[in-house]
Amino acid sequence: MPLHVPPAPAPALRSVLTALGSPTAVREARTPALRTAQGTATPELPLPVHVLDRITSEGVSATRLAGWRFLIRCGDRAVAAAETMLTPDGWAFSHFFEGPYVASTERALRQAESVTGAYQPRLLSLPGLYMLTLWLHGDCSSDGTTGHPAATDLLVPLAPAPPGIAAHRPHRVAELLPMLTHRVTPTPLLGQPA
C-alpha cells in the first residue's frame, strides 16, 4: 500500500532549497557525504518530526511538532537530511546532517510500503530513550502537524535502537509504548534525591 506523505509547508521546503543552493551552508555543514556528492541534491520525502516528551503509564501521551525533515537525495540514495524548525517568522532551515538515521529512515520507508493498510509516515522522537521511530499514523487525511499515536498506529524503531528493541520491526503503539514506560526513568527535580 502506498504511503500518504503529507505535503510540507511551502516555506519549509523553500528554506531547504535555499540552503542547498548556498555553497556556504553546504560547505559548513558537518556532512561530508553532502559536500562530496556528485550530481544534483534534491530534498524528498518530507516527514513531520514529532516529539514524545513523556510516556504515561497507559503508554499514550500527546506529541508536539518539532519540525520537518527532508531526505536529501543524490542519484539513487539519500546522502543526508535537512531539518527545518518553526520560528516566530515561520518555517526556517535548521541544519543538514548525516549518519545512521538517514539510511535507516530510507529503509523503514521502503519496508512500510509493503504494510497492509493506509498510513501517513511521520517521525516520532522519544528523547528520554534516545530513540527515533518511523510513526505510521492511520489518519491519512491529517496534515501531519497534529495528533497523538493511536493504539493501532505502527511504530518502527530506527537503527540504532536502544538495547532490547529490535530496529526495523513494526510494533503497534498499544504494544510498544506501555513496554517503554518501564525503560524511562523520570528525571529528578533539582534539590530532590535521585
Side-chain angles (χ1 to χ4, degrees):
M1 174 68 66
L3 298 174
H4 300 272
V5 179
L13 176 58
R14 277 194 303 271
S15 72
V16 170
L17 290 170
T18 300
L20 280 171
S22 165
T24 304
V26 172
R27 187 175 52 251
E28 290 180 1
R30 296 182 186 154
T31 52
L34 183 59
R35 286 194 307 266
T36 61
Q38 300 296 317
T40 305
T42 57
E44 296 182 353
L45 294 168
L47 297 173
V49 180
H50 292 262
V51 176
L52 184 64
D53 289 314
R54 190 173 60 86
I55 302 173
T56 66
S57 58
E58 296 81 30
V60 179
S61 182
T63 64
R64 63 180 168 84
L65 181 66
W68 284 80
R69 181 173 297 172
F70 297 78
L71 292 181
I72 306 299
R73 183 169 300 284
C74 286
D76 62 345
R77 68 183 186 94
V79 296
E83 193 92 16
T84 63
M85 63 183 182
L86 191 57
T87 69
D89 295 325
W91 288 100
F93 171 75
S94 174
H95 62 281
F96 291 116
F97 68 93
E98 63 183 50
Y101 285 134
V102 173
S104 188
T105 301
E106 193 172 37
R107 176 181 169 187
L109 285 165
R110 277 194 312 269
Q111 288 176 314
E113 289 175 348
S114 65
V115 171
T116 304
Y119 291 100
Q120 181 185 83
R122 302 169 173 201
L123 293 172
L124 181 65
S125 173
L126 294 94
L129 293 171
Y130 300 100
M131 182 177 179
L132 185 64
T133 69
L134 177 64
W135 170 15
L136 299 175
H137 189 51
D139 181 6
C140 295
S141 64
S142 168
D143 65 0
T145 62
T146 59
H148 65 279
T152 56
D153 288 353
L154 295 175
L155 296 178
V156 182
L158 300 181
I165 304 290
H168 297 286
R169 182 179 171 274
H171 301 271
R172 293 251 177 243
V173 166
E175 299 164 2
L176 184 62
L177 287 186
M179 180 180 74
L180 296 178
T181 61
H182 304 295
R183 292 175 164 249
V184 177
T185 54
T187 305
L189 299 174
L190 290 175
Q192 292 184 346

